[in-house]
Amino acid sequence: MANPSRKSEHAFRTIGELAIELGVPQHILRYWETRFPQLKPLQRAGNRRYYRPDDVALARRIHALLNRDGYTIRGVQQLLARGDAGEEAVAATGPTPANQHPVFPAEQLRALRRTLADALAASDA
């Protein structure tokens, strides 16, 4: 299989190559195609998808907004519908309220895990 990192930035990518690059399953990319009309890869015989460089850039942007910046699908749709999904838009609008939740410190979660494990061990004894 071809290594996507060896391809030129201007080369078309298959759905498998793009999925590996983004670290998501192929069905997620197909789902994004149904939710984001701007993401339209070429489809050849047998519905084989080829993502153009612009499609790859858009998929990377969608992935970052959803997974790094905490946007919902709806929030990303709104950004793309306005035609401005650049860094400035992210800074100006931030994540949608549905994704704003406190982050638990790792140490508190570890302590809770130890407490639960101790309670479980005590109940088994």
Side-chain angles (χ1 to χ4, degrees):
M1 182 180 210
N3 184 351
S5 63
R6 286 184 163 175
K7 279 191 168 182
S8 163
E9 280 294 316
H10 304 291
F12 286 29
R13 304 268 193 289
T14 65
I15 191 169
E17 292 168 339
L18 185 57
I20 289 169
E21 179 182 327
L22 296 178
V24 298
Q26 293 179 18
H27 72 269
I28 297 295
L29 292 172
R30 288 190 288 272
Y31 174 73
W32 288 352
E33 290 171 24
T34 67
R35 295 290 162 226
F36 304 106
Q38 301 89 340
L39 187 60
K40 295 181 207 168
L42 291 176
Q43 289 191 341
R44 298 289 185 206
N47 285 333
R48 189 160 171 83
R49 289 167 169 80
Y50 289 97
Y51 290 84
R52 300 173 196 93
D54 289 344
D55 294 323
V56 171
L58 179 59
R60 287 178 186 148
R61 187 71 189 129
I62 291 169
H63 184 263
L65 288 167
L66 291 171
N67 297 302
R68 183 191 70 208
D69 298 335
Y71 278 81
T72 61
I73 292 282
R74 181 91 171 134
V76 176
Q77 287 172 332
Q78 290 172 354
L79 277 176
L80 295 177
R82 283 193 301 235
D84 185 7
E87 291 295 330
E88 301 79 26
V90 172
T93 61
T96 57
N99 274 350
Q100 293 179 347
H101 49 79
V103 178
F104 293 98
E107 193 50 46
Q108 284 182 331
L109 291 173
R110 287 187 192 103
L112 179 59
R113 176 191 262 170
R114 286 191 295 271
T115 302
L116 291 172
D118 292 344
L120 184 59
S123 69
D124 288 342

